[in-house]
Amino acid sequence: MKRYIPILLLAALIALPDTHLQAQYRKKVPATQIIKEGQNKRQWLRSKADTSWHPTPGGLYDQLTNPEANVKKGKKTEPVIDPSGKHKVRETAYDTVFKFTEFDGKKTYYINYDYNKFRQVRWQSGDDRDFENFDPVWDYLCSAGRIAMHICAVYAINPNVTDADQRAELKERAEMEALISLDYFRDILMEEEMKNKISYKVVEVDYRYWKGESYFIDPQPTSDIIRVGVVCDFTTKKANLFPSAAANAKTYADIKFFPNDATIQPSFLPEVEDLAQYLKDNPDYEVLLTGHCDNVGTEVYNMGLSRQRAIEVKKALMRRGIQDFRIEIIAKGDTEPVGDNTTLAGRTANNRVNVVIQ
């Protein structure tokens, strides 16, 4: 009878419902997941870390390129790249985190921080993590309990890169780099078991517009991809992190020209005077001048004529004290008519310079 006892015990163990003890007998722990006795968990994770730039499986980059992956049933993945493209917004439009000990949900903050450093911080131990300029935000997240935050990695392509194909390649690389960096920040939050609700975004800004006058004073960046920094907003509502710098600016009517002519008519000089004074009174604003013409003439001639019209308005503003860098010009030729080119009234309407404060 004694020799049957081990067999009976084994049969009883198999017949039992899955218990924690039984699961331990069945489950085999992969050798790669075994941490040696006395070894720090973070040190082990760091030793296993992939230090290359490959995206984290299921991370923000995966969600962008493969929307079907890692999405719970009935839910959609939140877009993480702003589809509107390059933003014209100034650094001075934001508050700085160093002005406050607590954050205001009605304000948006800019931090001059290289978001790629999230990679380095990820593999530091919790007590030794140094976020540098991002420290005020991190301290707030640690102390404020459950809060909602919008965080956006902001980059720019160096204005000196003029080749369109090269800029497109740099843009793609910059977006991937920023998404992976935000993934590292998300990993930090998960490791610290934080309950804060964070939404992530990546946007490109027009670097010259972002810097304003300081663009001509500060040292010029040498890298093709400029990591401008991080923009944060602390609120439960959907936040507009990039409001137009001239959302409430004054609007101006088109400046009209005679056909086949680029001379500003005396009747429009008062409008030019008013525009110049308005730009002086609002030093944060710039102006976009878009030249147009009718369809009489060749494509090349019309493009040159429309550009010359915009240049004449720009020269008139500069003579009245407006700096060159605050005036942007574009030539559209006859590609965007507002009137019917088969009629005299329509052609007259199309010979114009459109004025937009930005």
Side-chain angles (χ1 to χ4, degrees), residues 263-283:
T263 304
I264 301 175
Q265 299 304 307
S267 59
F268 285 98
L269 289 177
E271 185 171 351
V272 174
E273 293 279 0
D274 184 69
L275 175 59
Q277 187 59 50
Y278 186 72
L279 291 171
K280 289 179 181 178
D281 294 340
N282 297 274

Side-chain angles (χ1 to χ4, degrees), residues 59-294:
L60 298 175
Y61 185 77
D62 264 10
Q63 292 176 23
L64 176 74
T65 55
N66 183 15
E68 301 300 323
N70 304 293
V71 181
K72 294 182 179 179
K73 188 176 180 180
K75 293 186 178 181
K76 293 183 178 179
T77 303
E78 182 181 357
V80 288
I81 290 184
D82 194 323
S84 58
K86 186 166 59 176
H87 293 264
K88 288 196 171 182
V89 62
R90 295 190 185 283
E91 179 181 357
T92 54
Y94 298 93
D95 288 285
T96 171
V97 296
F98 301 105
K99 291 180 181 177
F100 306 96
T101 54
E102 293 186 357
F103 293 94
D104 189 336
K106 296 180 180 180
K107 295 179 179 178
T108 306
Y109 300 89
Y110 164 66
I111 304 100
N112 183 9
Y113 179 69
D114 182 352
Y115 45 78
N116 268 5
K117 292 182 178 179
F118 286 144
R119 286 170 48 84
Q120 302 170 16
V121 178
R122 169 66 180 87
W123 304 115
Q124 294 172 359
S125 62
D127 294 337
D128 297 329
R129 280 180 172 148
D130 181 11
F131 285 92
E132 299 180 16
N133 290 359
F134 197 73
D135 265 337
V137 178
W138 179 250
D139 292 342
Y140 184 66
L141 290 173
C142 293
S143 61
R146 295 192 180 192
I147 61 170
M149 181 178 80
H150 305 271
I151 178 172
C152 181
V154 184
Y155 75 91
I157 305 301
N158 196 311
N160 295 322
V161 179
T162 56
D163 182 76
D165 292 337
Q166 185 181 1
R167 290 187 69 88
E169 183 181 342
L170 289 170
K171 177 182 174 71
E172 183 178 354
R173 199 171 82 198
E175 289 175 348
M176 177 179 177
E177 180 185 82
L179 288 170
I180 294 173
S181 297
L182 291 177
D183 262 333
Y184 278 99
F185 179 67
R186 191 175 65 165
D187 289 345
I188 295 170
L189 293 176
M190 293 175 64
E191 185 177 305
E192 296 292 337
E193 298 183 353
M194 290 192 177
K195 306 300 182 182
N196 303 308
K197 184 178 179 182
I198 313 292
S199 64
Y200 303 89
K201 185 179 285 189
V202 175
V203 302
E204 177 191 7
V205 295
D206 183 324
Y207 190 68
R208 285 174 292 195
Y209 196 90
W210 171 269
K211 295 296 290 183
E213 289 192 37
S214 65
Y215 175 77
F216 301 91
I217 301 171
D218 296 341
Q220 295 296 310
T222 56
S223 59
D224 290 340
I225 297 174
I226 305 168
R227 300 179 196 107
V228 174
V230 178
V231 169
C232 293
D233 177 88
F234 301 87
T235 177
T236 56
K237 298 179 180 179
K238 187 175 180 179
N240 179 15
L241 300 181
F242 294 86
S244 171
N248 301 313
K250 186 177 179 180
T251 58
Y252 285 87
D254 295 340
I255 298 174
K256 301 293 181 62
F257 291 80
F258 284 131
N260 196 31
D261 188 78
T263 304
I264 301 175
Q265 299 304 307
S267 59
F268 285 98
L269 289 177
E271 185 171 351
V272 174
E273 293 279 0
D274 184 69
L275 175 59
Q277 187 59 50
Y278 186 72
L279 291 171
K280 289 179 181 178
D281 294 340
N282 297 274
D284 285 340
Y285 288 170
E286 294 183 356
V287 62
L288 172 63
L289 304 173
T290 307
H292 302 268
C293 65
D294 58 36

Side-chain angles (χ1 to χ4, degrees), residues 305-342:
L305 177 60
S306 64
R307 179 176 296 277
Q308 189 59 42
R309 287 170 173 170
I311 289 173
E312 290 301 319
V313 178
K314 177 177 181 176
K315 287 162 61 177
L317 291 173
M318 291 178 64
R319 285 195 295 269
R320 289 161 175 79
I322 306 303
Q323 301 98 319
D324 174 75
F325 70 87
R326 297 182 63 193
I327 309 169
E328 182 180 356
I329 62 171
I330 298 178
K332 293 289 187 177
D334 59 4
T335 60
E336 295 182 2
V338 294
D340 185 356
N341 276 312
T342 63

